[in-house]
Amino acid sequence: MWGGRFTSSPDAVMEDINVSVDFDRHLYRQDIAASKAHAEMLAKQGIIGADDAKKIAHGLDTILSEIDKGSFEFKRALEDIHMNVESRLADLVGAPAGRLHTARSRNDQVATDFRLWMRDTIDTLDTALAGFQRALAHKAFDHAATVMPGLTHLQTAQPVTFGHHLLAYVEMTARDRSRFADARKRLNESPLGSGALAGTSFDLDRDMTAKALGFDRPTANSLDAVSDRDFAMETLAAASIAAVHLSRLAEEIVIWTSPLVALVRLSDKFTTGSSMMPQKRNPDAAELVRAKTGRIIGALNALLIVMKGLPLAYAKDMQEDKEGAMDALAALSLSIAAMTGMVVDMEPDASRMKKAAGEGYATATDLADWLVRALKIPFRESHHLAGKIVAKASETGIALHRLPLQAMKAIEPRITDDVFSVLTVDRSVKSRVSYGGTAPKNVRSQARKWLKRLAKESK
């Protein structure tokens, strides 16, 4: 492929370090699509003959079919997907294959292919994340009134509903999808026709190839087009944040399913046993989602480090852009599928959740709020009084709503028996009616809104 400049073959070690077809073969569909668009444009511009372009297109379709069927022979000696396709094309159509690379470099070719692959992958991930949101919203609607403990610092804070908790992840996932959409919008420019770095002397119609490949426009600077991978870094940044969100829910599932907590149960579908201990039910799917977050973040870090010191334009370092990204986005796709399955599968223990929600004096804030509303006491003073009442209940070892009225009056004489109307966990969650709050009617409304929105998106 190097023409007349080289007279001997590369060392075996050089071949091993230089080869990329082991992973960039995943770009085959995008590579063939871009080559067909390029050949059609060359013919339209009179740069190659129409008959040659027709033969090239037919040969590329044959290669696509061979790869899809698994009969295509990938050769490591040809380095990458581009040269493997071009070599096979020469076998199929002869001399016209040599005209395909006119006005094109592997630099703009791979930049185009990778953008196309990244765009396709973002679309697939978006569909998967929407499915994850639907699973969460359905479960949230079903458990809009299922009371559970809300925690801060992993300590009892205030009662919330299980549905409200799950909807928090629907909102996070919406922002994840938005970040991917933003990345997709910015990457959707075509490098094809930029050449190695300086453009080309041929009269190309770059708008034609950009449109044929679904890009919004051609890139405006040939140096930038072939030498930056910010589109991959941005996509991996979005993937890393999405993975962190998945990992947080995975961690909660690990906690919730522990026999020490036992707020949620997973079926056999998403748990494993132990080779020694017959009683074990391990939440391995959740643990693996949690762990895969590390490799996704690692891929982002690796690419940032690869790119940080590269002068313009292309350098071979950039071959390291694809393997980590492909691995990371595959890991994210699998993680989304696993989390969606677990959300559908998991069943909360409503009675245990409700009991846990009442422990730790979770309605103390409701008591403080009642003192403000009923007795017009400033919040800082009511906070102090509520703390003293909680201390009294703790001394006697009883729940806050079981503390006798007289014990409360001994701390604040103006307290009436109306205070008991706010001290149960059910009353607490029902009272949180502010927009975005955990009141069951809010949760049902938000879950319904999300399900309608997601159904509309899927049409």
Side-chain angles (χ1 to χ4, degrees):
M1 77 183 79
W2 307 124
R5 178 66 179 86
F6 289 77
T7 57
S8 62
S9 300
D11 187 89
V13 173
M14 178 61 193
E15 181 176 308
D16 284 341
I17 198 170
N18 197 43
V19 72
S20 62
V21 72
D22 297 338
F23 53 85
D24 69 19
R25 66 176 62 187
H26 296 298
L27 301 176
Y28 77 90
R29 192 173 297 278
Q30 291 78 19
D31 190 69
I32 290 171
S35 289
K36 288 178 68 176
H38 185 64
E40 185 178 359
M41 182 273 296
L42 291 176
K44 181 248 183 186
Q45 294 297 100
I47 298 170
I48 67 173
D51 187 58
D52 283 346
K54 186 176 180 180
K55 290 177 180 177
I56 288 169
H58 179 72
L60 290 170
D61 285 337
T62 300
I63 293 168
L64 178 62
S65 176
E66 289 176 349
I67 298 176
D68 283 340
K69 290 188 299 185
S71 61
F72 186 90
E73 182 187 358
F74 289 98
K75 299 176 181 178
R76 298 182 89 244
L78 293 173
E79 290 190 7
D80 56 30
I81 183 61
H82 321 298
M83 298 310 299
N84 269 267
V85 169
E86 188 172 327
S87 175
R88 177 58 178 152
L89 184 63
D91 293 340
L92 291 170
V93 304
R99 304 188 189 281
L100 174 59
H101 210 55
T102 307
R104 186 178 71 172
S105 164
R106 282 195 298 175
N107 293 359
D108 62 335
Q109 187 177 1
V110 69
T112 302
D113 293 356
F114 198 24
R115 284 180 188 245
L116 288 171
W117 183 89
M118 197 67 77
R119 191 180 70 188
D120 291 343
T121 301
I122 288 173
D123 291 344
T124 300
L125 289 171
D126 183 70
T127 299
L129 287 168
F132 178 53
Q133 286 182 297
R134 273 192 295 274
L136 289 165
H138 276 298
K139 189 73 72 171
F141 186 84
D142 292 342
H143 292 281
T146 301
V147 180
M148 71 175 292
L151 310 177
T152 61
H153 308 278
L154 212 58
Q155 304 297 311
T156 301
Q158 293 176 273
V160 296
T161 69
F162 188 49
H164 190 59
H165 194 109
L166 295 178
L167 285 179
Y169 287 100
V170 176
E171 297 290 337
M172 293 180 209
T173 305
R175 295 192 295 276
D176 292 329
R177 293 179 65 195
S178 177
R179 275 182 282 270
F180 278 119
D182 286 345
R184 188 192 193 283
K185 187 182 302 181
R186 273 183 285 277
L187 72 78
N188 205 36
E189 295 184 349
S190 173
L192 194 58
S194 297
L197 75 160
T200 175
S201 60
F202 289 94
D203 181 23
L204 304 184
D205 186 346
R206 294 190 62 210
D207 288 300
M208 178 183 174
T209 51
K211 183 178 180 181
L213 295 170
F215 288 113
D216 294 329
R217 64 192 67 85
T219 52
N221 184 284
S222 59
L223 284 167
D224 171 58
V226 302
S227 68
D228 205 352
R229 293 297 184 266
D230 57 353
F231 65 90
M233 291 185 281
E234 185 175 8
T235 302
L236 287 172
S240 296
I241 297 170
V244 167
H245 287 155
L246 295 175
S247 184
R248 294 183 72 183
L249 180 55
E251 168 70 3
E252 292 191 309
I253 290 173
V254 171
I255 294 170
W256 292 340
T257 56
S258 167
L260 298 175
V261 179
L263 298 183
V264 165
R265 179 180 174 84
L266 286 173
S267 76
D268 293 351
K269 293 179 182 178
F270 291 96
T271 55
T272 64
S274 164
S275 62
M276 176 180 284
M277 300 165 284
Q279 84 282 7
K280 293 294 295 297
R281 292 178 61 86
N282 300 323
D284 281 6
E287 291 172 356
L288 287 166
V289 168
R290 190 174 58 185
K292 286 183 185 297
T293 301
R295 67 197 293 177
I296 296 167
I297 295 171
L300 170 61
N301 287 339
L303 185 53
L304 288 168
I305 293 166
V306 165
M307 296 299 299
K308 73 172 181 61
L310 294 186
L312 298 181
Y314 182 84
K316 195 69 170 184
D317 310 50
M318 292 164 67
Q319 184 167 287
E320 290 296 313
D321 59 354
K322 288 175 286 297
E323 187 172 14
M326 290 174 172
D327 176 79
L329 296 178
L332 178 61
S333 179
L334 182 57
S335 295
I336 296 167
M339 290 305 301
T340 302
M342 280 185 280
V343 168
V344 172
D345 184 70
M346 67 182 179
E347 286 301 327
D349 186 329
S351 61
R352 191 172 178 96
M353 277 188 169
K354 186 173 182 179
K355 182 176 183 296
E359 295 173 351
Y361 305 101
T363 58
T365 303
D366 298 273
L367 171 59
D369 288 347
W370 183 90
L371 292 170
V372 171
R373 282 195 306 269
L375 304 183
K376 310 304 180 187
I377 297 172
F379 182 77
R380 283 301 170 203
E381 184 180 343
S382 72
H383 184 282
H384 179 73
L385 291 170
K388 292 181 72 172
I389 293 170
V390 167
K392 184 66 176 177
S394 181
E395 286 174 13
T396 54
I398 59 176
L400 194 55
H401 69 282
R402 302 288 187 191
L403 187 67
L405 179 61
Q406 287 308 119
M408 296 189 197
K409 280 181 165 291
I411 296 169
E412 172 45 68
R414 291 175 290 169
I415 293 177
T416 67
D417 60 2
D418 181 60
V419 72
F420 293 104
S421 68
V422 301
L423 295 183
T424 65
V425 293
D426 286 321
R427 293 288 185 96
S428 177
V429 296
K430 286 179 182 178
S431 73
R432 305 293 166 181
V433 295
S434 60
Y435 181 76
T438 191
K441 68 176 184 178
N442 286 14
V443 175
R444 290 190 189 95
S445 175
Q446 289 294 321
R448 191 179 293 114
K449 180 197 78 171
W450 271 111
L451 290 169
K452 286 182 179 178
R453 176 176 167 180
L454 292 163
K456 185 177 180 180
E457 283 180 5
S458 65
K459 290 180 180 178

